[in-house]
């Protein structure tokens, strides 16, 4: 199968539901065209997934289709942006129809779920690598950044943490138990917190999506905002499945494992109090920003020095 036939068969269909309005020209020309409405900023981000580094060899392609777009779109959620379109640079060892059909099926499901349209891409032969660039928009000057946290703000997360990290132990399980299936679903099908991110625009002082682990990602907010924080480990939300599978290790997982793609946000008490109940209910307060630099975790004796996955400072 040639490059253009491959694109026509597996990827062009994803572009056919092009959103009216912002995406003016999709795949097929030298560039795509996106028109940014007046009063909006363009927000964009790129993510690369390499087989054997970011997902295991022989990972089911349909999961990969969802996951590759979800992790990229999660960055838009963290900025409070509305997704518009994405490009896909695909490096493939060979054009295997079954793999391509599975991948494009997962990708199509994710693109429908997140309201983001394929605008173009690049297809080459090489080790399996996926690079997705996502574009979104946000009202001018309103994107949520890492740098706005203020002393006294609450530190909140948007859901249970650690499940996706725990799932790594069970990716190869031939017959996973109910609890194993529950954490595996979190790994295979992360749900970027798009609606919540948008609801926090103009209200939260800082935000980040948790891709490397709570401690290491919150530290990015603290560094950018030049503040410190105190967390209460007892408040960190843990799923029943995680506690059942990991026991005393569940908290370590929640603090240091990545891949959950919940948000970590900072927000002033009075802003939180003003939010709609259904938004407030999704924000779990786990600590507070303080002037003293550093990150203090109270109510834990079991946290070692490992602070999440860092490609260039990994010691384990
Ligand atoms: P060029 O040589 O001008 O860079 P290409 O030959 O790489 O263009 O691509 C031709 C068209 O096909 C472009 O519009 C590009 O966006 C689109 N395309 C290539 N690969 C993909 C892909 N994997 N998914 C969607 N569109 C793609
Ligand atoms: Mg060209």
């Amino acid at each position: 199968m040639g490059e253009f036939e491959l694109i026509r068969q597996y990827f062009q269909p994803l572009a056919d539901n092009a959103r009216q309005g912002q995406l003016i020209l999709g795949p097929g020309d030298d560039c795509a065209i996106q028109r940014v409405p007046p009063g909006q900023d363009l927000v964009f981000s790129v993510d690369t997934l390499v087989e054997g580094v970011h997902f295991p060899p022989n990972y089911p392609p349909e999961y990969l289709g969802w996951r590759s777009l979800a992790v990229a779109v999660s960055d838009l959620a963290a900025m409070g942006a509305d997704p518009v379109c994405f490009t896909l640079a695909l490096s493939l060892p060979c054009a295997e129809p079954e793999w391509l059909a599975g991948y494009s099926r997962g990708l199509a499901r994710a693109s429908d779920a997140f309201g983001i349209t394929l605008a173009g891409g690049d297809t080459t032969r090489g080790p399996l690598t996926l690079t997705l660039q996502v574009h979104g928009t946000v009202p001018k000057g309103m994107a949520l950044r890492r740098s706005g946290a203020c002393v006294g703000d609450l530190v909140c997360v948007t859901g249970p943490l650690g499940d996706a990290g725990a799932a790594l132990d069970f990716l190869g399980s031939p017959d996973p138990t109910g609890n194993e299936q529950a954490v595996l679903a979190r790994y295979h099908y992360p749900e970027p917190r798009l609606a919540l991110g948008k609801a926090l625009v103009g209200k939260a002082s800082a935000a980040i999506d948790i891709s490397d682990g709570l401690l290491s990602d919150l530290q990015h907010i603290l560094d950018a905002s030049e503040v410190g924080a105190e967390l209460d480990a007892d408040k960190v939300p843990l799923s029943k499945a995680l506690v059942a599978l990991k026991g005393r290790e569940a908290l370590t997982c929640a603090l240091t494992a990545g891949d959950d793609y919940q948000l970590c946000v900072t927000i002033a008490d009075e802003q939180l109090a003003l939010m709609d109940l259904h938004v407030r209910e999704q924000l779990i307060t786990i600590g507070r920003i303080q002037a003293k630099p550093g990150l203090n975790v109270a109510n834990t004796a079991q946290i070692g020095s490992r602070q999440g996955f860092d490609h260039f400072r990994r010691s384990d």
Side-chain angles (χ1 to χ4, degrees):
M1 184 178 358
E3 175 190 341
F4 296 107
E5 174 55 19
L6 182 158
I7 296 165
R8 194 192 61 73
Q9 196 170 333
Y10 296 105
F11 296 106
Q12 191 71 44
L14 271 75
D16 287 346
N17 60 351
R19 283 211 318 194
Q20 293 293 309
Q22 291 198 39
L23 182 64
I24 294 170
L25 183 63
D29 213 310
D30 291 312
C31 291
I33 305 177
Q34 178 185 351
R35 181 164 297 155
V36 180
Q40 302 273 311
D41 285 331
L42 172 65
V43 177
F44 56 99
S45 162
V46 67
D47 271 298
T48 293
L49 301 183
V50 180
E51 182 175 42
V53 179
H54 302 97
F55 59 93
N58 302 315
Y59 186 60
E62 187 158 354
Y63 296 157
L64 190 60
W66 178 284
R67 195 175 158 71
S68 59
L69 187 56
V71 305
V73 163
S74 175
D75 288 319
L76 295 177
M79 301 295 284
D82 204 2
V84 176
C85 60
F86 69 102
T87 57
L88 166 67
L90 198 54
S91 166
L92 291 171
C94 57
E96 200 193 298
E98 208 182 316
W99 190 94
L100 283 160
Y103 182 76
S104 83
R105 205 164 44 238
L107 191 66
R109 283 183 54 200
S111 93
D112 283 347
F114 311 147
I116 188 166
T117 306
L118 184 61
D122 195 28
T123 308
T124 58
R125 190 182 291 272
L128 183 56
T129 305
L130 309 144
T131 299
L132 288 89
Q133 168 139 336
V134 291
H135 286 200
T137 52
V138 70
K140 219 170 196 156
M142 298 299 281
L144 298 170
R145 304 183 189 199
R146 299 176 178 184
S147 53
C150 298
V151 173
D153 285 352
L154 300 166
V155 177
C156 304
V157 293
T158 57
L161 302 176
D163 285 15
L168 296 177
D169 294 346
F170 311 113
L171 284 178
S173 285
D175 188 19
T177 65
N179 285 329
E180 290 168 5
Q181 284 176 30
V183 297
L184 281 165
R186 295 290 188 166
Y187 181 84
H188 296 318
Y189 290 111
E191 303 249 1
R193 305 305 311 264
L194 284 165
L196 197 49
K198 277 172 66 176
L200 289 165
V201 167
K203 312 220 163 57
S205 53
I208 190 168
D209 65 323
I210 305 174
S211 56
D212 290 341
L214 173 64
L215 295 185
S216 101
D217 287 320
L218 174 56
Q219 189 63 52
H220 293 310
I221 288 185
L222 303 183
D223 290 343
S225 304
E226 299 181 28
V227 291
E230 171 131 66
L231 299 188
D232 181 350
D234 285 346
K235 303 250 172 72
V236 174
L238 308 173
S239 75
K240 284 198 182 106
L242 181 70
V243 173
L245 290 168
K246 288 280 177 181
R248 285 168 53 84
E249 289 292 302
L251 178 62
T252 308
C253 235
L255 292 177
T256 62
D259 295 320
D260 283 302
Y261 298 97
Q262 295 291 344
L263 302 180
C264 176
V265 309
T266 62
I267 185 168
D269 293 77
E270 56 273 23
Q271 288 293 345
L272 185 67
L274 288 174
M275 304 213 58
D276 287 346
L277 184 62
H278 80 278
V279 178
R280 230 184 311 147
E281 281 172 348
Q282 297 175 68
L283 294 171
I284 302 133
T285 300
I286 59 166
R288 206 177 270 280
I289 296 295
Q290 57 189 17
K292 185 165 162 265
L295 179 49
N296 243 322
V297 187
N299 291 325
T300 174
Q302 30 170 325
I303 311 305
S305 60
R306 185 164 170 259
Q307 294 215 333
F309 186 92
D310 181 322
H311 290 267
F312 299 103
R313 277 192 294 136
R314 250 174 110 190
S315 55
D316 53 328

